[in-house]
Amino acid sequence: MNQLDFEDVKKKGLRVPKFKTVPAHIAIVMDGNGRWANQRGLSRIEGHKAGEAALLDVVAGAIEAGVKNLTVYAFSTENWKRSTEEVLGLMSIFARYIEREADRLAAESVRMRFIGDRSRLDARLQRLMAGIEERTAQYSRLNLTVAINYGGRDELTRAIRAITVDVAEGRLDPSAVTEALVSQRLDTGDLPDPDLVIRTSGETRTSNFLPWQAAYAEFEFTQTLWPDFTPDELALILKRFGNRD
Ligand code: IPE
Ligand code: IPE
Ligand code: MG
């Protein structure tokens, strides 16, 4: 696999040019791993591994481009319906990503966090997630947020439940329930809304990704399957975004 890492992207220098206007927050639906694998006669898990490699490159590219917030959709609340083998394979890829990348993310001053309902994830993965969140909490060069067991409706439902509990117990007046308060109570609490959402693999759905937050985002759909998505393509999209702004 032709995999770039932070050092490669830096060495190659001009792969991702600096733009005058970069989105404050890019969100990506990383779709097409299964089809990528199918086309090569590989297992779906091999597709997800290739997708993980693409993410490493894109994170490095986003840093080079000066993007401050990158949120990626790794596993949806609907994805539990896939085969046990695929679900377990994905979970172990997430764990391995955190273990392998922790040092490098910290060295690059990347803050890594997760959104979604983590209560359904296994205890070891939850510990790894909490560990890297804590370890990188002081960094802000790039806020990398990974959505695992994330669904926008689930996120809103959890937020509404928490708000109604506060109202019922007298801590919150209904008149204080504003759009700003709802935004704060979402998993993305302190992140700015995404101004650009990219979905790979030619599907033009949002699949329950950041429905509240992306209300005003620009959408970019590319035919490229996620494992083939590169910092170069990100740079092209950023160039278009810059022109449009
Ligand atoms: C995206 O790729 C990764 C996850 C949803 C976990 P898919 O696995 O959805 O790939 P396709 O859509 O089947 O090609
Ligand atoms: C969306 O992709 C979720 C992730 C990329 C993690 P899916 O492939 O699961 O979405 P649908 O099934 O096409 O809506
Ligand atoms: Mg898909």
Side-chain angles (χ1 to χ4, degrees):
M1 196 157 317
N2 179 22
Q3 186 176 318
L4 283 171
D5 63 17
F6 290 110
E7 278 65 42
D8 290 331
V9 169
K10 266 188 221 149
K11 257 184 263 148
K12 292 183 186 167
L14 289 173
R15 275 181 71 92
V16 181
K18 293 266 183 282
F19 296 99
K20 268 200 219 99
T21 340
V22 289
H25 185 175
I26 301 178
I28 307 181
V29 181
M30 307 184 289
D31 197 14
N33 296 349
R35 276 162 281 172
W36 184 93
N38 265 346
Q39 288 173 1
R40 287 163 180 74
L42 301 169
S43 68
R44 294 184 63 87
I45 295 301
E46 289 304 319
H48 295 312
K49 286 184 186 159
E52 180 194 3
L55 179 61
L56 295 180
D57 293 350
V58 167
V59 167
I63 292 174
E64 280 303 294
V67 173
K68 283 285 165 204
N69 299 283
L70 176 66
T71 300
V72 295
Y73 207 0
F75 192 90
S76 77
T77 48
E78 300 306 301
N79 288 152
W80 296 106
K81 292 181 188 143
R82 298 189 179 195
S83 73
T84 310
E85 187 192 0
E86 184 171 359
V87 169
L88 291 178
L90 280 163
M91 295 298 152
S92 74
I93 286 171
F94 302 150
R96 201 184 51 181
Y97 182 94
I98 297 170
E99 286 175 319
R100 280 203 196 149
E101 293 306 305
D103 288 343
R104 192 149 53 157
L105 292 170
E108 294 288 334
S109 302
V110 174
R111 180 174 189 182
M112 187 177 194
R113 283 181 287 185
F114 300 90
I115 56 172
D117 179 2
R118 57 185 87 183
S119 66
R120 193 171 165 187
L121 307 178
D122 81 44
R124 177 166 174 274
L125 179 57
Q126 287 190 43
R127 273 197 303 280
L128 285 168
M129 289 159 71
I132 195 162
E133 283 180 332
E134 198 187 311
R135 173 156 180 217
T136 62
Q138 78 248 45
Y139 302 126
S140 59
R141 185 157 166 232
L142 171 73
N143 282 307
L144 172 62
T145 305
V146 182
I148 299 182
N149 192 22
Y150 176 88
R153 289 182 174 183
D154 176 66
E155 176 192 41
L156 271 163
T157 305
R158 287 185 284 106
I160 290 166
R161 200 178 298 135
I163 289 170
T164 53
V165 167
D166 282 354
V167 170
E169 296 179 356
R171 283 188 296 274
L172 188 64
D173 191 86
S175 67
V177 181
T178 58
E179 288 189 12
L181 179 105
V182 173
S183 291
Q184 269 170 35
R185 293 295 190 100
L186 298 177
D187 296 350
T188 45
D190 60 353
L191 293 173
D193 285 340
D195 30 18
L196 174 64
V197 179
I198 299 169
R199 182 167 186 158
T200 56
S201 88
E203 307 298 344
T204 50
R205 295 183 287 282
T206 63
S207 297
N208 207 7
F209 193 40
L210 306 173
W212 172 281
Q213 299 90 331
Y216 291 98
E218 301 282 349
F219 282 79
E220 281 278 351
F221 298 101
T222 167
Q223 296 297 323
T224 306
L225 302 175
W226 174 251
D228 291 329
F229 192 83
T230 59
D232 287 328
E233 186 164 2
L234 177 66
L236 278 176
I237 291 174
L238 291 181
K239 195 164 162 224
R240 262 207 302 277
F241 181 88
N243 289 340
R244 197 157 48 188
D245 220 25

